[in-house]
Amino acid sequence: MTLAAGPREAILEPGFRIVDPHHHLWDRPARLLPEGPRRPHGFNHLLERVPRYLLDELRADMDRGHNIVATVYMECGAFYRADGPAEMRSVGEVEFVNGVAAMSASATYGPARA
């Protein structure tokens, strides 16, 4: 499932090159969502609606008609390491995103770069 919903908007300037200022990637099955109080960031409602949003889903949203040539990843607390020192667990997200960036750079997933 992509995040884009509803009818496609009119593409007014199809040649206009766009760098999307940010995107997130995650894979959070419902069984992994916390029980009880939610984190105050307000992101959980989206995780419930779209529990998986990885490169395929991002590409589908990017391919809706605008000329998106690149997008910038913004951390969202996904893919932390399961073990090791607590202060280093967030490095897992960086490792994951580097892998996705390499996939995108291969052009196997289209011309835009994530």
Side-chain angles (χ1 to χ4, degrees):
M1 168 189 268
T2 68
L3 295 181
R8 292 180 186 237
E9 62 186 25
I11 309 304
L12 301 177
E13 297 185 54
F16 187 74
R17 295 168 51 92
I18 299 169
V19 175
D20 183 344
H22 87 276
H23 72 274
H24 304 286
L25 300 171
W26 63 85
D27 191 1
R28 294 294 307 266
R31 65 181 171 74
L32 296 179
L33 290 175
E35 297 283 336
R38 302 292 175 131
R39 293 170 68 185
H41 57 59
F43 199 62
N44 284 317
H45 74 284
L46 186 57
L47 294 175
E48 291 168 358
R49 189 170 63 94
V50 184
R52 180 182 194 273
Y53 193 83
L54 297 174
L55 186 55
D56 289 337
E57 291 80 15
L58 176 64
R59 289 295 316 152
D61 281 340
M62 291 172 67
D63 290 340
R64 291 180 57 86
H66 293 288
N67 186 16
I68 300 173
V69 299
T71 181
V72 179
Y73 181 79
M74 178 70 72
E75 63 86 22
C76 65
F79 302 102
Y80 278 29
R81 291 178 176 174
D83 50 29
E87 65 273 9
M88 294 299 293
R89 291 185 182 171
S90 64
V91 172
E93 185 167 11
V94 176
E95 293 168 331
F96 167 74
V97 172
N98 277 335
V100 172
M103 292 169 65
S104 178
S106 75
T108 300
Y109 296 87
R113 298 296 173 255

